[in-house]
Amino acid sequence: MCYYKIKGPVAHLVERYVRNVEARGSSPLRSTLSYLPIYTYDHPVLRKETSPIKEDTSELQKLIRDMQKTMHHAEGIGLAANQVGKSLMITVIDISATKGNEHVLPLVLINPVITDTHGESVFEEGCLSLPEIREDVVRPESIGIKFLSEEFKEIEMESAGLLARVMQHEVDHLHGKYFIDYLSPLKLSFLKGKLNKLRKGEVETEYPLAPPSGMKKKKR
């Protein structure tokens, strides 16, 4: 379970929820969206600090829709722009498919900043950029966060539970950080084999992946 409290007008959030449902359902909009290949460990774009977004554009709105479709196709609950090769400070989140969180609206976070943290909790995390790897991670239980919505409206929120964890996970991505960076050296040593396979592109997923860094596409 999680809770979230939004400071400021919320009507646009309901409108956005409707658009997200349309993007996932049988809508004419769906045909204009694309699945984006997801970049995996240890591609340089995932370690770079992303750039703040300064203005709303049609290209940005298309990226948001494509990221949402890609996240849902991969059965993820969060996706940062650098995970699809775009070094921009934006992430999409949707935990409504998880038990007890059906009421939580999908979110788009542009230029997010975590302003406050409280408590501590341990929870198993995974990542679309680290397929087949799941580990317990210690994070704050609740957070305060501010960001711009996809309509470029300023939002301040307080959240806890799964939503707060996913927000922290995705904000980390935007600053070039993986969840495995929180693990001890001993735990990381146990993952060395899996990480090496990911680095070489030796992994299969149900969603499209970008070629590993340095690997060229084969010519036909």
Side-chain angles (χ1 to χ4, degrees), residues 94-199:
D94 185 359
I95 66 170
S96 62
T98 62
K99 186 177 180 180
N101 296 306
E102 295 83 0
H103 64 289
V104 180
L105 301 180
L107 291 168
V108 175
L109 279 60
I110 298 173
N111 304 339
V113 176
I114 294 174
T115 58
D116 199 10
T117 63
H118 297 282
E120 187 175 277
S121 66
V122 180
F123 194 82
E124 185 182 74
E125 295 189 22
C127 180
L128 296 177
S129 293
L130 291 163
E132 301 181 3
I133 294 178
R134 301 190 67 85
E135 292 289 338
D136 287 342
V137 177
V138 179
R139 292 189 188 271
E141 170 64 21
S142 62
I143 64 170
I145 187 169
K146 63 180 181 180
F147 56 92
L148 297 177
S149 71
E150 65 186 279
E151 295 89 2
F152 268 62
K153 296 182 183 291
E154 292 187 5
I155 304 291
E156 292 185 47
M157 289 180 63
E158 297 173 359
S159 67
L162 181 60
L163 182 58
R165 179 166 291 269
V166 176
M167 285 178 167
Q168 293 173 80
H169 180 116
E170 299 306 325
V171 170
D172 275 350
H173 270 305
L174 300 179
H175 295 289
K177 192 169 186 177
Y178 296 100
F179 79 86
I180 58 173
D181 294 344
Y182 292 96
L183 304 181
S184 68
L186 178 60
K187 281 193 173 182
L188 277 176
S189 69
F190 293 147
L191 296 176
K192 186 176 180 180
K194 288 184 177 181
L195 294 176
N196 283 336
K197 286 185 177 181
L198 278 174
R199 190 180 287 114

Side-chain angles (χ1 to χ4, degrees), residues 45-79:
V45 73
L46 295 173
R47 282 298 190 189
K48 289 175 63 177
E49 184 83 14
T50 56
S51 301
I53 296 172
K54 298 180 180 180
E55 61 179 342
D56 190 11
T57 63
S58 58
E59 290 82 6
L60 176 63
Q61 291 301 317
K62 184 178 187 305
L63 175 63
I64 291 171
R65 300 280 84 77
D66 288 344
M67 286 176 61
Q68 288 169 328
K69 184 177 181 183
T70 299
M71 174 182 64
H72 292 137
H73 174 67
E75 298 184 351
I77 56 178
L79 186 67

Side-chain angles (χ1 to χ4, degrees), residues 76-92:
I77 56 178
L79 186 67
N82 53 348
Q83 289 183 272
V84 293
K86 307 294 184 182
S87 192
L88 297 171
M89 195 168 288
I90 180 172
T91 179
V92 297

